[in-house]
Amino acid sequence: MTAQILDGKVIAARVRAEVKTDAEAFAKAHGRSPRLEVVLVGEDPASQVYVRNKEKAAHEAGLRGSVIRLPATTSQAELLACVEALSADADVDGILVQLPLPAGFDAAAIVDAIDPQKDVDGLHPVNAGLLSTGGKGLRPCTPSGCMRMLREAGVDLRGKRAVVLGRSNLVGKPVALMLLEEHATVTIAHSRTVDLAAECARADVLIAAVGKSRLVKADWVKEGAVVIDVGINRGEDGKLSGDVDFDAVKEKASWLTPVPGGVGAMTIAMLLRNTVDAAVQRARG
Ligand code: NAP
């Protein structure tokens, strides 16, 4: 079988267009566009690129907002004060603190200071709790992007065996909970899993979020499985690769996401989605 490629750029463009329409409707109803504030601490080059892309995408979708750039010498107390001020500002709908923070910061304490209703990264413990109890909080962007891609591929998850590789709070755990919510039978595998290949080979839906280039080989994949590759790994040649051995797995899977141009393209689109949803939810009171 040769896999159909799930094109993240095409699906992300669809999400962005939906967000733009909804942002315009919000502006008409409330006399102001949804506003996203991104906080960047330090000079990390990759974070600078991510933040620039988020700012550009937000403006293209008709959102207001800016990037608050703070020097690496900023103290924990100063960053906390910045986040608390944004949380208290009624004109701000979404707050994103770009992670990872430079060494020395207590990132969990910073995330805790974000108003959960403005937590567009979906990482606040209140939102993580709402996800695990089936509530309607803001959800992490990358896992939401994976779920949207599965929907676009027409995958019915009910009763399917799903395997998630990776158990981070950012990707693995939340995507596993979202799959469970859609009635899949979910296994979460990680670095201590015994016989990873055998676990993966049972999956109807396999989500790889590990951070190890081409870890998932063709013989780890069941014929006809749907494979979502979250991994982004930069090789010594500067080229990006996923956690899945794309060329080999493409001959086994029914659907497969590429890297780049797969899940990565979805993450910013879902951030914009969360910002408009946060604005609408807050306006309802
Ligand atoms: P993370 O916090 O480093 O978590 C990696 C997970 O993979 C951990 O649970 C770890 O297990 C597991 N793992 C590591 N090596 C393994 C191995 N050899 N076999 C089995 N499991 C292994 O990473 P993350 O933040 O979840 O990100 C995962 C990947 O997705 C990275 O490549 C990252 O760049 C990418 N990512 C992409 C996007 C996007 O927009 N597409 C967004 C976020 C992340 P233990 O828990 O046992 O250590």
Side-chain angles (χ1 to χ4, degrees):
M1 172 175 273
T2 301
Q4 298 187 68
I5 304 304
L6 255 174
D7 189 330
K9 286 190 211 143
V10 170
I11 303 169
R14 209 167 291 151
V15 173
R16 286 175 195 221
E18 292 163 9
V19 168
K20 192 167 188 193
T21 303
D22 293 349
E24 280 163 9
F26 182 89
K28 210 174 252 175
H30 300 282
R32 64 178 195 86
S33 302
R35 179 173 158 201
L36 171 67
E37 291 295 326
V38 177
V39 182
L40 173 65
V41 184
E43 312 288 326
D44 177 62
S47 292
Q48 307 246 21
V49 173
Y50 293 146
V51 158
R52 256 201 311 278
N53 290 343
K54 285 170 186 172
E55 187 179 30
K56 185 166 168 274
H59 290 160
E60 281 170 5
L63 310 186
R64 288 179 302 143
S66 62
V67 178
I68 299 170
R69 290 185 166 78
L70 300 173
T73 52
T74 302
S75 68
Q76 174 85 12
E78 284 165 338
L79 179 56
L80 211 50
C82 170
V83 170
E84 283 169 354
L86 293 170
S87 288
D89 185 341
D91 189 44
V92 173
D93 299 294
I95 304 167
L96 183 145
V97 178
Q98 184 65 37
L99 301 175
L101 288 166
F105 281 97
D106 177 353
I110 300 297
V111 171
D112 283 357
I114 298 174
D115 177 343
Q117 285 199 302
K118 303 183 180 186
D119 167 39
V120 285
D121 244 353
L123 296 177
H124 192 285
V126 165
N127 285 318
L130 284 168
L131 172 59
S132 74
T133 53
K136 268 185 74 78
L138 291 164
R139 296 179 165 195
C141 303
T142 302
S144 295
C146 295
M147 298 307 288
R148 174 71 188 246
M149 294 180 102
L150 289 170
R151 239 191 343 270
E152 295 272 343
V155 177
D156 180 0
L157 289 162
R158 280 174 298 184
K160 295 279 160 51
R161 203 182 281 273
V163 174
V164 178
L165 271 180
R167 56 174 164 178
S168 70
N169 290 330
L170 186 63
V171 188
K173 276 189 227 163
V175 85
L177 287 166
M178 292 178 195
L179 291 162
L180 191 60
E181 190 177 62
E182 297 293 329
H183 313 295
T185 302
V186 183
T187 300
I188 306 178
H190 46 78
S191 67
R192 320 290 163 86
T193 297
V194 176
D195 203 348
L196 217 48
E199 291 294 344
C200 292
R202 274 194 284 273
D204 302 308
V205 176
L206 178 61
I207 307 220
V210 173
K212 298 269 181 284
S213 179
R214 301 189 182 97
L215 177 75
V216 177
K217 310 293 179 212
D219 60 356
W220 293 29
V221 174
K222 185 162 108 179
E223 189 76 33
V226 176
V227 181
I228 306 282
D229 190 352
V230 181
I232 300 180
N233 310 291
R234 193 173 288 280
E236 280 170 12
D237 55 2
K239 286 199 179 141
L240 294 183
S241 63
D243 289 344
V244 175
D245 185 353
F246 183 89
D247 290 337
V249 169
K250 136 165 136 329
E251 303 306 326
K252 294 273 296 277
S254 58
W255 288 96
L256 177 60
T257 64
V259 177
V263 178
M266 294 298 296
T267 298
I268 291 183
M270 301 317 286
L271 169 70
L272 307 177
R273 178 73 270 163
N274 271 354
T275 303
V276 176
D277 289 350
V280 169
Q281 204 54 42
R282 281 190 341 107
R284 283 197 187 125

